[in-house]
Amino acid sequence: MNKFQSFDDFVKVHGVLLAAAGIPQSLYKLLFQKLSSDTFDGGHYFQIEPIEEGRQRRLLFTSDSIAKHSNLFLVDHAWTFRLSDAYKQLCEVPGLAERMAALMCVDVDLDSAAEEAGEEDSSKLSAVEIVEREMCKVKEGRDDTRWLELEELDIDDHMLVSLDLPSKFPNLLALSLCGNNLRDVEVVYKEVTRLNNLKALWLNNNPFLEHSNSEAAIIQGCPSLEICNSKFTSNYGEWALGFCGGIYDKDNADCAHQRDHPLESVTSLDLSNRFIRNLMNKAFNPEEITSLSYLNLRGNPLDQNSLNDLLQLLKGFSCLHSLEVDIPGPLGESAAEIVEALPNLSLLNGVNTSKIMESGKSVVDSMLQPCLPEWTAGEPLTDRVINAMWLYLMTYRLADEEKIDETSVWYVMDELGSALRHSDKPNFRVSPFLYMPEGNLASAVRDDYLEFVAGNAHLSTEIVCLLASGLALYMNKSLKVPIQEETNNKKSICPPSVQSPLWPKNEGLFPMERLMRKLNQKGDECTRDYLFGIGEEKQRSTRLTAWFHTPKNYFIKEYEIYKNTLQSIKIASPVQGSSITSSLCRGDGRVLLVYADIPQVEKYLTRPEFIITTEPKDADIIWTSMQIDEETKKATGINDEQYINQFPFEACLVMKHHLAKTIQKAHGLVEWLQPTYNLETQLSQLIGDFHVREREKLDNLWILKPWNMARTIDTTINSNLSAIIRLMETGPKICQKYIEHPALFKGRKFDLRYIVLVRSMNPLEIFLAEVFWVRLANNTYTLEKHSFDQYETHFTVMNYRGKLNHMNTPDFVKEFEKEHEGEVNWLDIHSRIRNMIKSAFEAAASVHPEMHHSKSRAMYGVDVMLDSHFQPKLLEITYCPDCTRAVTYDTEAVIGGGETVKGKEFYNYIFGCLFLNETNHVSQL
């Protein structure tokens, strides 16, 4: 029941939320009325229109007109979830996968496939039947077959030979054998090289192409071939250009030969992604293609031509007014310079050249092509949805007066909301809004949902998406589909009134040309800004790569510049010098007072030289898990003469983005640190790296980690570039190359926690504790794509979630060496780990000399993983690490004499090393 009796009460409770959502004050009352009455009336104003052959939808305004800030509409959230639950929900919730597949347009092949299945079984001809049909045409004199398509007919090597195509069709110009089962490159080579007149050959999606150089061998054996697998050969000429210009096709394979200049009628020529290396060709010249007005050269290396030669060639096409090229690319790095060199152009990459010169932009593109969902035939709907959902998702995080929810909530708006496409000048705005009908957070959360998630202490809310700008998102009440029906006594797992208000903005329309008017009118497309409030200072253009095809060459070049810079860095020299630290032990026998807010220190620091005090201002040593800043000192009475267990500027080590930057600045590229990018500043370089790996068919699995969160909170593993970019929305992160092939222990992933003690940063004086421990995943390791959300498969920290299976370190080392007998010597591994840890701290000392402080002594946790070659990889460095295992379990030192190290003595020798200059159970690095 709605508690609010008046509009004033509603505003009083929701004032901050209303302002945060950016809802105009003039629409507050309308929002109150629609929320109170649960009014979804957008269906009177809009309709959904399929586009891109059904692979995308857009939302059209169907009413006569609507003025700016004159109306507001509610939009349902069709699916709300935590990332780790997404795949499970799609598999288990009845109807969810089907609804999401339809909403995301990834089921468009299923209906047509079902309708055509019967016809296909009876009407699709076999390869033999197609060849016989064509032979009949030849015998009857009706046709001399020049173009033959034998695609997806399960032709194998034996059948190809038996078809004897060269004998039957000696004048064949174009042959497609795509999607068959050809495996032997020698058989294919022998058959196709007998086709002496062949101009175009398509062999895509045949197994034999997996063999290196198979394509090159065929091209070499077919000297007349101009197109092979959609790419131009070095012999390309008039036929290939005519094919791309629309002169040659299945029905007209060579009729243009009847004219002296067959290309003179070509006005538009799309040569994109043809792998053209040399554009200087007797067929591609102004005398042959006299009417050329549009040319697309995107995606071609053109690396056999100089910049000046290319510009001079293009300048000769007097009718050329529109050009599309990669920027940066073969024609240079500046759009303005290209326009200056080609004065006849009126459009460059779809942008008016006069506007380019006015703005001086280096990289330009008009309407970026949208990333449409892709899938393979037979791929399950659940997988299709998981891949496509990043084009539709939105996110929020809950918080109350006491704390913020650690895990973000993702949601998909209903069919109408999801049909809103992007525009830099949108005519609508959409924003999530938390509606609390009884004036408190609990009333925004459905009781049965709370019951469902109570074990995880998660909250989910009844949030409304507000659609405004002249258009609205609408879900008819009769069409509402509960995300989960009550089956097997399980409650719905998605709050039904999570919605978003939508309101008219009228600041521009989706087409690039702005129609500056005050009304959204009938037939207009409704759009929103996918990156509302995010400008270029936050990498706006780069982040659009999540939804659009942005210039790959630009990002690859940014990555190469970045990589070359790191490779040029020389190894930093370590800070040298003799020890300057001395024992704090007093000659008069007085004890050292220690203030600690860590219960383990209070309990286990039992040496007579130290006494615990509850007053920070009285202590000689402050040992705390809190950050000590000037404000804290003032509040607690801590002074500059007290020793503190933290170093100034230690963030250069303990915050993940700073750690990577520190190491790279000191050492450049090192084998022991995985490629790491700060998504807040290095997104372009990451995208370039991603594209290079994609091009070279390398593994592209990445792990995203928050800058400064522990226990793998908000950490995800993904190989979807759109997902990686979108995950930036949940907070600052690094993106690090995932160690896809780690060393395993009995089939499970593991990492190692080391304890490092720092007495001084200048000169560097660091020690490694003899005690370290192994952290084991609970499940067998796998790279199966659905496993990446399984915490106990890919993560090892089980202290806070999952089941902790402690293993004594000496036992682990012995069994690990036995399992990998002949490959592993732990002394060698230990030596490499010591050197790596030392190098990391040397980097900090070199790059951040301001980190040194004479009153600082600190303990750090260093997490290490071994790859499948048993080489160490640095994962992270942690301030004031959790040492529960160290104080709980007695163990034997793996390195050294094998002396027993009692857990209860852990803090005694830690403090002894840091403050009394002892070296019991530690070794200096």
Side-chain angles (χ1 to χ4, degrees):
M1 180 179 294
N2 190 342
K3 176 182 177 180
F4 299 113
Q5 301 300 315
S6 71
F7 168 67
D8 291 339
D9 290 338
F10 169 78
V11 173
K12 183 177 180 180
V13 169
H14 295 88
V16 174
L17 296 170
L18 289 165
I23 303 168
Q25 288 191 14
S26 58
L27 294 175
Y28 284 7
K29 183 163 286 188
L30 180 60
L31 174 61
F32 169 63
Q33 293 169 350
K34 290 193 174 185
L35 287 171
S36 300
S37 58
D38 206 17
T39 299
F40 291 80
D41 58 347
H44 302 300
Y45 296 83
F46 314 101
Q47 74 176 36
I48 299 170
E49 179 182 74
I51 55 174
E52 303 285 355
E53 299 181 342
R55 295 176 66 194
Q56 195 178 53
R57 296 174 179 177
R58 65 178 181 176
L59 192 65
L60 299 180
F61 185 56
T62 56
S63 188
D64 290 334
S65 65
I66 186 169
K68 178 180 179 180
H69 294 174
S70 64
N71 207 339
L72 176 145
F73 308 87
L74 304 185
V75 182
D76 259 357
H77 292 184
W79 181 27
T80 304
F81 60 94
R82 316 275 179 170
L83 275 184
S84 58
D85 299 327
Y87 180 71
K88 183 179 180 181
Q89 289 186 13
L90 287 169
C91 292
E92 296 180 358
V93 177
L96 177 59
E98 289 76 11
R99 182 182 180 187
M100 290 298 106
L103 183 151
M104 298 174 187
C105 305
V106 295
D107 65 346
V108 292
D109 61 322
L110 300 181
D111 292 338
S112 58
E115 293 172 2
E116 297 172 4
E119 298 179 18
E120 193 171 303
D121 290 342
S122 59
S123 63
K124 187 174 181 178
L125 299 178
S126 68
V128 173
E129 290 170 331
I130 293 173
V131 170
E132 289 178 350
R133 182 190 64 189
E134 295 299 317
M135 284 295 297
C136 289
K137 293 179 183 179
V138 173
K139 291 177 181 178
E140 295 171 3
R142 290 187 290 145
D143 189 15
D144 183 10
T145 300
R146 302 294 183 91
W147 190 297
L148 186 61
E149 295 180 0
L150 299 173
E151 300 176 352
E152 298 181 353
L153 296 171
D154 202 29
I155 299 173
D156 59 17
D157 302 320
H158 176 75
M159 182 181 293
L160 180 64
V161 173
S162 66
L163 289 174
D164 194 18
L165 299 179
S167 299
K168 295 173 181 175
F169 309 109
N171 297 319
L172 202 62
L173 295 175
L175 172 64
S176 178
L177 292 166
C178 293
N180 285 295
N181 192 29
L182 301 173
R183 295 182 175 275
D184 191 331
V185 63
E186 294 184 4
V187 170
V188 177
Y189 177 87
K190 182 178 179 180
E191 291 302 304
V192 300
T193 53
R194 291 168 58 203
L195 294 164
N196 297 324
N197 299 312
L198 200 62
K199 298 289 186 183
L201 176 64
W202 292 277
L203 296 164
N204 310 65
N205 301 322
N206 275 285
F208 82 91
L209 287 174
E210 297 176 2
H211 301 291
S212 60
N213 299 324
S214 57
E215 184 178 289
I218 289 171
I219 292 173
Q220 187 174 0
C222 299
S224 65
L225 199 63
E226 298 187 22
I227 298 176
C228 183
N229 295 338
S230 303
K231 296 181 288 189
F232 280 18
T233 72
S234 59
N235 299 321
Y236 82 92
E238 170 251 310
W239 196 94
L241 294 171
F243 171 76
C244 293
I247 293 178
Y248 302 129
D249 56 25
K250 184 176 182 179
D251 298 322
N252 300 286
D254 67 342
C255 65
H257 282 296
Q258 300 171 8
R259 302 197 301 269
D260 291 335
H261 299 282
L263 301 179
E264 62 185 0
S265 63
V266 174
T267 59
S268 177
L269 192 55
D270 185 353
L271 300 180
S272 60
N273 301 308
R274 294 291 178 180
F275 201 72
I276 301 171
R277 302 188 64 186
N278 183 6
L279 201 59
M280 304 297 176
N281 183 288
K282 64 180 181 180
F284 186 80
N285 69 71
E287 295 180 2
E288 295 294 328
I289 317 176
T290 56
S291 303
L292 186 65
S293 63
Y294 168 82
L295 175 64
N296 189 341
L297 292 173
R298 293 179 187 266
N300 293 293
L302 302 179
D303 53 354
Q304 295 180 1
N305 305 127
S306 69
L307 171 60
N308 288 335
D309 287 346
L310 288 171
L311 292 174
Q312 286 299 318
L313 174 63
L314 296 177
K315 192 181 293 185
F317 291 91
S318 58
C319 297
L320 184 62
H321 298 303
S322 178
L323 176 66
E324 294 198 35
V325 294
D326 294 324
I327 306 175
L331 293 187
E333 301 179 13
S334 168
E337 291 177 3
I338 294 174
V339 172
E340 287 179 351
L342 303 173
N344 288 340
L345 289 182
S346 56
L347 291 175
L348 178 61
N349 290 354
V351 179
N352 191 291
T353 53
S354 61
K355 291 185 177 180
I356 292 174
M357 298 308 293
E358 290 173 8
S359 66
K361 287 186 176 180
S362 296
V363 181
V364 297
D365 247 308
S366 58
M367 300 285 284
L368 295 173
Q369 294 302 308
C371 295
L372 300 176
E374 297 181 355
W375 62 88
T376 58
E379 185 175 5
L381 284 183
T382 51
D383 292 350
R384 298 186 188 191
V385 171
I386 290 293
N387 289 330
M389 69 184 186
W390 297 101
L391 302 175
Y392 295 90
L393 292 181
M394 298 176 73
T395 187
Y396 60 83
R397 184 173 289 188
L398 297 172
D400 58 20
E401 296 83 355
E402 297 180 0
K403 70 171 187 174
I404 187 171
D405 194 356
E406 292 179 344
T407 308
S408 296
V409 175
W410 294 86
Y411 65 93
V412 178
M413 292 188 291
D414 63 30
E415 284 74 2
L416 283 169
S418 294
L420 280 169
R421 297 202 299 171
H422 170 77
S423 172
D424 286 337
K425 298 293 181 180
N427 49 5
F428 281 79
R429 181 176 169 187
V430 61
S431 179
F433 180 78
L434 176 67
Y435 179 46
M436 299 179 286
E438 296 180 14
N440 53 56
L441 183 60
S443 66
V445 185
R446 229 176 60 184
D447 291 340
D448 55 359
Y449 187 74
L450 275 177
E451 180 182 331
F452 183 86
V453 300
N456 294 323
H458 288 322
L459 293 178
S460 186
T461 61
E462 308 230 354
I463 294 182
V464 181
C465 266
L466 306 172
L467 174 64
S469 180
L471 311 173
L473 304 185
Y474 171 74
M475 190 63 185
N476 187 292
K477 282 293 185 181
S478 63
L479 295 178
K480 279 191 179 179
V481 180
I483 296 306
Q484 180 168 326
E485 300 290 346
E486 293 190 13
T487 56
N488 299 324
N489 297 320
K490 290 185 178 180
K491 302 290 186 177
S492 169
I493 60 172
C494 181
S497 60
V498 176
Q499 303 160 336
S500 297
L502 175 69
W503 64 97
K505 288 183 65 194
N506 293 100
E507 294 180 1
L509 299 177
F510 188 76
M512 292 303 290
E513 60 275 10
R514 296 188 211 167
L515 304 177
M516 299 304 289
R517 60 190 185 215
K518 295 183 178 180
L519 301 176
N520 284 300
Q521 296 184 349
K522 190 172 184 177
D524 287 345
E525 179 174 356
C526 312
T527 60
R528 67 180 179 92
D529 185 350
Y530 288 174
L531 293 171
F532 179 78
I534 296 175
E536 287 304 323
E537 73 282 358
K538 295 183 178 179
Q539 311 177 99
R540 177 183 176 86
S541 294
T542 301
R543 290 172 73 164
L544 284 172
T545 304
W547 297 277
F548 296 94
H549 291 288
T550 50
K552 289 185 179 181
N553 279 9
Y554 169 79
F555 297 114
I556 290 174
K557 183 163 187 178
E558 289 291 300
Y559 162 68
E560 289 174 344
I561 293 172
Y562 168 74
K563 182 179 179 181
N564 290 338
T565 300
L566 292 182
Q567 288 176 332
S568 67
I569 295 174
K570 296 181 179 179
I571 300 297
S573 299
V575 179
Q576 301 291 340
S578 58
S579 174
I580 61 170
T581 59
S582 58
S583 172
L584 274 61
C585 187
R586 293 162 173 164
D588 58 7
R590 283 188 299 158
V591 297
L592 295 168
L593 297 180
V594 177
Y595 170 80
D597 61 5
I598 300 171
Q600 293 170 347
V601 177
E602 295 177 310
K603 181 177 180 180
Y604 292 105
L605 182 59
T606 58
R607 293 185 60 151
E609 295 94 336
F610 304 97
I611 294 294
I612 300 296
T613 179
T614 58
E615 286 294 336
K617 60 183 175 52
D618 298 332
D620 298 295
I621 300 169
I622 305 293
W623 195 274
T624 176
S625 59
M626 295 176 56
Q627 181 68 37
I628 301 296
D629 52 23
E630 292 303 317
E631 185 175 337
T632 305
K633 287 182 178 180
K634 185 176 180 180
T636 59
I638 295 174
N639 61 67
D640 293 337
E641 296 304 312
Q642 294 170 293
Y643 285 84
I644 300 176
N645 68 327
Q646 53 196 244
F647 279 83
F649 303 98
E650 65 183 8
C652 71
L653 287 171
V654 300
M655 293 186 72
K656 299 178 186 70
H657 62 307
H658 289 320
L659 173 62
K661 185 177 181 180
T662 298
I663 292 170
Q664 291 163 353
K665 192 171 182 179
H667 301 309
L669 292 177
V670 290
E671 289 294 325
W672 44 268
L673 181 70
Q674 290 289 91
T676 304
Y677 299 91
N678 179 359
L679 291 181
E680 296 298 304
T681 58
Q682 297 177 312
L683 182 59
S684 293
Q685 291 80 1
L686 165 68
I687 293 174
D689 192 348
F690 190 97
H691 286 321
V692 168
R693 290 176 178 276
E694 189 175 52
R695 181 184 67 195
E696 297 178 1
K697 298 182 179 179
L698 299 175
D699 176 87
N700 235 337
L701 195 59
W702 299 80
I703 183 166
L704 288 89
K705 307 174 184 178
W707 281 357
N708 197 28
M709 297 281 273
R711 312 196 312 272
T712 65
I713 294 171
D714 200 18
T715 298
T716 53
I717 304 166
N718 217 300
S719 60
N720 183 319
L721 183 57
S722 292
I724 290 170
I725 298 171
R726 296 296 312 281
L727 284 163
M728 294 173 64
E729 298 170 30
T730 65
K733 292 179 177 63
I734 63 164
C735 186
Q736 190 171 70
K737 185 65 193 65
Y738 191 60
I739 304 171
E740 67 275 11
H741 297 298
L744 301 178
F745 177 68
K746 297 182 178 179
R748 292 179 291 164
K749 188 175 178 179
F750 68 90
D751 66 17
L752 306 165
R753 163 62 64 88
Y754 284 84
I755 299 298
V756 174
L757 307 178
V758 182
R759 288 185 193 164
S760 168
M761 292 298 294
N762 185 19
L764 191 61
E765 196 175 347
I766 56 177
F767 299 82
L768 188 66
E770 289 180 355
V771 172
F772 67 93
W773 53 93
V774 61
R775 302 185 298 190
L776 294 163
N778 289 333
N779 298 337
T780 300
Y781 182 74
T782 175
L783 285 173
E784 198 279 323
K785 62 184 178 181
H786 298 133
S787 73
F788 297 127
D789 291 327
Q790 297 172 7
Y791 183 86
E792 296 186 51
T793 299
H794 288 273
F795 299 100
T796 60
V797 182
M798 300 298 163
N799 304 54
Y800 312 98
R801 56 191 290 193
K803 180 182 178 182
L804 175 61
N805 291 309
H806 174 74
M807 186 172 189
N808 205 17
T809 304
D811 295 336
F812 163 77
V813 170
K814 290 175 185 177
E815 292 189 32
F816 186 73
E817 286 185 320
K818 183 178 180 180
E819 180 179 350
H820 301 281
E821 189 172 0
E823 299 178 278
V824 170
N825 181 316
W826 193 263
L827 288 177
D828 293 339
I829 292 175
H830 183 72
S831 177
R832 290 194 290 267
I833 292 174
R834 285 174 59 91
N835 291 336
M836 178 189 72
I837 293 174
K838 183 179 180 181
S839 294
F841 282 86
E842 285 175 346
S846 173
V847 175
H848 294 282
E850 68 275 13
M851 188 176 169
H852 177 72
H853 194 282
S854 61
K855 296 296 183 180
S856 294
R857 303 282 192 275
M859 175 174 70
Y860 299 96
V862 178
D863 295 339
V864 179
M865 186 172 288
L866 303 178
D867 66 15
S868 57
H869 300 290
F870 311 107
Q871 296 299 316
K873 302 285 185 178
L874 179 62
L875 300 182
E876 64 178 300
I877 297 177
T878 305
Y879 160 75
C880 201
D882 181 351
C883 293
T884 301
R885 291 204 207 188
V887 300
T888 302
Y889 301 101
D890 296 343
T891 187
E892 293 178 2
V894 173
I895 306 300
E899 183 181 350
T900 298
V901 182
K902 294 187 176 296
K904 66 181 181 179
E905 295 296 325
F906 176 77
Y907 278 105
N908 285 335
Y909 68 76
I910 293 297
F911 273 66
C913 175
L914 290 176
F915 302 107
L916 304 180
N917 280 28
E918 297 176 350
T919 56
N920 295 328
H921 302 307
V922 301
S923 60
Q924 187 164 5
L925 295 178

